Amino acid sequence: MKTIPTLLLVMLATLLGSTAAAQQPTPTRDPMADLILAADELPADISKGAALIEGELAAESVAGASFTTGVIEAPIPFNAVVPHWTGTNAEAITLQVRTSPDGETWDDWLAVHANHDWMEPGETEIVGEMVLVAEPATTHNFVQIQVLLPAPADDTTASLSQLRLTFIDTTAGPTADELLDLQSELDKDAPLLPESLAAYPKPFVVSRAAWCQHADCNYTEGLEHHPVSHLIVHHTVSNNASADWPAVVRAIWNFHTYGRGWGDIGYNYLVDPNGVLYEGHLGGDDVVGTHASGANTGSMALALLGTFTAYSPGIRPPGAMLNSAVELLAWKADQRDINVFDAGNELPNIDWGLPHLMGHRDVYGTTECPGDQAHLLIPWLRDQIAARIGLVDPFLYADDQSTAFTHGGGDFQVPPYLCGYNNHAFYAWSVNNQADGVVWGEWRPNVPAAGRYRIDVYVPYCHTGRGETAGAAYTIWHAGGTSTRTISQQANVGLWTTLG
């Protein structure tokens, strides 16, 4: 990862401005500008139960409130805008955003939530989801914001102290068809056959050389490489209506590079709804990106362009997008001999095991990414990848959603964000004395034939606020009688652990 100080960029642009005419022409940086408004500076249109309280916009009653700004003129024409906001309990606040070319005709209101993919751990300013102008090669000039303030909960009130809007204009770049033609031209001298005919081929990818042509797209400082052992699926949480996906990729690159100061786009690859794959972070194979904090090193991130939450505006990932995702992930799984059915603790900066193929939410259990409608497809992706590369899984599975599983004896709970193998898990609170335990779960898999079998159990890493038990007792019924094994689930969290 390369970090570019914003102030240094401004100074360099000033110092180099007088000599630019004598240098080889290079693509100019896409226009980008921030507009910062304190709560008491927000122009008001409609206020329902909201008021300024000690300089912050807050709900006047326990019923919650909303505040709709007047029309806000952007400092530059834009095709993408990213809202940021700060305040007390700011993550509980959501926004509605709409944009306009003239301040009179408006696109639809779009819900904007916190985008954890684009935030650093412990960051107090909330970074929202990117809002896009749908029409290709079109910019807007005005924006309007609705601030939705929830009802107080547990004596905690949400209030807004500042709103920051980052406007970006990436309409000047090539279209998807132009990029495909350019990439074909760049690839014309490449070997017709892959290095190994036995390897699963890498699919067609639009390279950085095609879509990222600004001088800051190329650098060497700060690049790190590490062998990939895990594949992570993200979504970009940008609206799904764009008709110019290369412009969206450029907007994300600009925001990650300059707006976040990351020096580059965070994801290793991106895929648009039409199935076009884009190379992300500079550095080629096994480069370390910026997308999942401690799981950056040793993982490859594929970002689905759009929003795939269970609620609006989320949609199901289109078929062309999914097919290209499978092709790319299958290539990498084959190249690095990654068993997508398994989990491992190979990531050097993570202290627990993680599935070799996972959604971003599986890393820490604190984000919705890649959205429920994408995350529910992780088991399907595993099967599709395995089918393409000829990976045969020798195990039989009995997960807690199958008819082979029953449970009882106490109050079982379900962790958030579809955590667990095949998107589900149960958990219950442990006791200090094993003899006092009353909760139980039982698996009766359909064993196809008599013989010797190995039994493994999987303890997913889920965000429950507590550690796992150090003494989980398992009883195995078999032809020779019964056997009992006690394992520390805390020591083996996130891993398949053999019972015998």
Side-chain angles (χ1 to χ4, degrees):
M1 179 183 75
K2 179 186 68 166
T3 301
I4 299 180
T6 303
L7 178 59
L8 180 61
L9 279 174
V10 174
M11 292 174 63
L12 285 173
T14 304
L15 292 171
L16 296 177
S18 61
T19 61
Q23 298 175 355
Q24 183 70 24
T26 57
T28 58
R29 176 178 160 182
D30 294 313
M32 182 171 168
D34 278 355
L35 178 63
I36 300 175
L37 296 168
D40 59 4
E41 296 174 326
L42 291 172
D45 182 15
I46 302 171
S47 180
K48 296 181 179 179
L52 282 172
I53 301 174
E54 297 182 358
E56 296 195 354
L57 190 65
E60 290 184 290
S61 71
V62 296
S66 66
F67 177 90
T68 304
T69 70
V71 175
I72 299 171
E73 184 173 3
I76 60 170
F78 65 92
N79 68 327
V81 57
V82 180
H84 321 237
W85 60 96
T86 54
T88 302
N89 193 23
E91 190 159 346
I93 297 171
T94 57
L95 306 181
Q96 296 271 342
V97 179
R98 66 176 183 175
T99 65
S100 169
D102 54 13
E104 295 183 3
T105 56
W106 293 89
D107 281 359
D108 293 336
W109 287 102
L110 292 171
V112 173
H113 306 82
N115 185 350
H116 295 280
D117 258 24
W118 295 359
M119 295 170 61
E120 300 284 359
E123 191 170 4
T124 57
E125 183 181 53
I126 303 300
V127 179
E129 298 153 353
M130 179 178 282
V131 175
L132 305 167
V133 175
E135 300 82 4
T138 300
T139 57
H140 283 186
N141 298 287
F142 299 92
V143 66
Q144 196 171 17
I145 312 290
Q146 288 182 348
V147 182
L148 305 180
L149 300 159
D154 299 325
D155 297 324
T156 301
T157 301
S159 59
L160 179 84
S161 60
Q162 178 180 280
L163 179 66
R164 179 160 68 98
L165 302 171
T166 300
F167 298 94
I168 311 168
D169 177 12
T170 57
T171 56
T175 65
D177 287 343
E178 291 168 340
L179 279 180
L180 294 176
D181 290 343
L182 176 57
Q183 189 61 51
S184 297
E185 182 67 20
L186 292 172
D187 291 343
K188 68 178 183 180
D189 295 325
L192 293 177
L193 296 176
E195 293 183 7
S196 171
L197 293 178
Y200 196 81
K202 185 176 182 179
F204 180 91
V205 176
V206 176
S207 68
R208 287 175 64 95
W211 71 261
C212 197
Q213 299 181 5
H214 188 269
D216 289 337
C217 293
N218 297 299
Y219 59 91
T220 56
E221 182 181 355
L223 287 177
E224 302 175 54
H225 292 79
H226 191 90
V228 167
S229 58
H230 288 69
L231 308 171
I232 303 180
V233 179
H234 295 257
H235 67 162
T236 59
V237 209
S238 46
N239 50 295
N240 301 304
S242 177
D244 188 356
W245 293 106
V248 178
V249 174
R250 293 190 295 269
I252 295 171
W253 179 82
N254 274 273
F255 184 70
H256 285 190
T257 299
Y258 305 117
R260 302 304 294 148
W262 293 346
D264 204 341
I265 198 166
Y267 313 112
N268 298 96
Y269 293 91
L270 305 94
V271 58
D272 72 25
N274 301 314
V276 178
L277 287 158
Y278 304 83
E279 180 185 9
H281 198 289
L282 180 68
D285 224 10
D286 291 347
V287 71
V288 176
T290 309
H291 56 90
S293 193
N296 290 337
T297 303
S299 68
M300 186 187 85
L302 172 62
L304 313 181
L305 284 161
T307 296
F308 305 102
T309 52
Y311 51 84
S312 178
I315 63 171
R316 188 183 190 276
M321 170 181 275
L322 290 173
N323 184 65
S324 291
V326 169
E327 288 293 305
L328 183 79
L329 296 169
W331 158 73
K332 194 63 181 179
D334 183 65
Q335 182 205 63
R336 299 296 313 171
D337 195 24
I338 298 170
N339 183 346
V340 292
F341 294 104
D342 204 354
N345 56 3
E346 301 92 342
L347 297 178
N349 299 322
I350 293 291
D351 295 329
W352 52 90
L354 288 171
H356 285 155
L357 173 68
M358 58 182 161
H360 178 204
R361 64 177 65 183
D362 292 320
V363 179
Y364 294 104
T366 55
T367 174
E368 288 190 75
C369 181
D372 283 2
Q373 296 199 64
H375 197 267
L376 285 168
L377 294 170
I378 295 293
W380 177 85
L381 285 172
R382 280 199 302 256
D383 292 340
Q384 293 297 310
I385 292 166
R388 279 165 168 73
I389 64 177
L391 173 63
V392 178
D393 183 21
F395 286 91
L396 303 171
Y397 293 91
D399 65 45
D400 60 16
Q401 291 290 280
S402 73
T403 57
F405 176 76
T406 55
H407 65 283
D411 182 21
F412 278 79
Q413 301 182 57
V414 176
Y417 300 130
L418 300 174
C419 181
Y421 189 79
N422 284 345
N423 300 310
H424 192 275
F426 285 117
Y427 71 95
W429 301 121
S430 59
V431 293
N432 292 327
N433 185 351
Q434 191 177 91
D436 296 332
V438 295
V439 296
W440 57 269
E442 183 174 280
W443 293 263
R444 290 179 176 268
N446 182 21
V447 179
R452 295 179 61 85
Y453 291 87
R454 191 182 91 191
I455 300 176
D456 289 5
V457 295
Y458 179 67
V459 182
Y461 178 86
C462 297
H463 187 68
T464 62
R466 304 280 182 87
E468 299 294 332
T469 180
Y474 291 86
T475 301
I476 303 101
W477 282 267
H478 49 79
T482 61
S483 301
T484 300
R485 298 287 186 271
T486 299
I487 65 169
S488 170
Q489 296 194 167
Q490 181 61 35
N492 294 281
V493 66
L495 299 172
W496 286 97
T497 304
T498 299
L499 297 180

